[in-house]
C-alpha cells in the first residue's frame, strides 16, 4: 500500500498542532496587547484590557491543549497506520484536527461569557 498521503497528512497535522501551540504561547503569558490582528478578538475582548488578557489567556490554554491533542494524535496514528486503510488514517486525522480546533474555539467563547 502507498502511505505517502498518510505521511503527508500526519506531517501537516503534526505541524499544525505545533504551530497552534507556538501561536498560543504569547497569548497565554500575556505578551500580546489588544489589537485587531492577533488574539481572541471579539467586540467584548477589544473593549478593555481587563477582559482582553484573561480571555486571551483562557483561549490560549484551550488552543495549547488542542495543539497538543492534534500533535499526539498524529504521533499515535503514525504508529498504528498499518492497522487500517490509508484513507481512513487521513480522514481520522483531518476530523480530529478540525474537532480539536472547533472545541477549543467553542470552549473559549463559553469561557468568555463567564468573564
Amino acid at each position: 500500500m502507498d502511505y505517502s498521503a498518510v505521511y503527508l497528512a500526519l506531517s501537516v497535522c503534526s505541524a499544525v498542532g505545533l504551530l497552534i501551540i507556538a501561536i498560543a504561547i504569547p497569548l497565554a503569558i500575556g505578551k500580546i496587547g489588544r489589537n485587531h490582528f492577533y488574539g481572541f478578538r471579539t467586540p467584548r475582548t477589544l473593549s478593555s484590557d481587563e477582559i482582553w488578557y484573561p480571555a486571551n489567556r483562557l483561549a490560549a490554554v484551550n488552543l495549547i491543549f488542542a495543539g497538543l491533542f492534534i500533535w499526539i494524535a498524529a504521533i499515535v496514528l503514525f504508529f498504528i497506520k498499518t492497522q487500517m486503510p490509508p484513507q481512513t488514517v487521513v480522514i481520522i486525522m483531518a476530523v480530529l484536527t478540525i474537532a480539536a480546533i472547533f472545541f477549543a474555539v467553542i470552549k473559549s467563547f463559553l469561557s468568555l461569557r463567564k468573564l
Side-chain angles (χ1 to χ4, degrees), residues 5 15 29 32 43 48 52 54 75-76 86 88 97 108-109:
I29 60 177
I32 308 299
S48 74
W52 173 266
I75 291 170
V76 169
T88 304
T97 299
S108 297
F109 274 105

Side-chain angles (χ1 to χ4, degrees), residues 12-74:
V12 168
C13 289
S14 179
V16 165
L18 293 175
L19 181 63
I20 288 171
I21 293 168
I23 289 171
I25 288 173
L27 294 168
I29 60 177
K31 292 289 186 182
I32 308 299
R34 275 188 293 160
N35 68 82
H36 291 281
F37 303 106
Y38 179 34
F40 187 36
R41 300 170 322 272
T42 68
R44 186 161 178 225
T45 60
L46 291 169
S47 68
S48 74
D49 285 344
E50 290 77 30
I51 296 173
W52 173 266
Y53 287 104
N56 274 279
R57 202 167 292 115
L58 288 169
V61 169
N62 293 334
L63 286 173
I64 289 169
F65 281 118
L68 282 172
F69 175 79
I70 293 166
W71 185 64
I72 291 168

Side-chain angles (χ1 to χ4, degrees), residues 13 69-70 91-105:
C13 289
F69 175 79
I70 293 166
I91 291 169
I92 289 171
M93 194 66 243
V95 168
L96 291 177
T97 299
I98 292 166
I101 294 168
F102 177 78
F103 285 119
V105 170

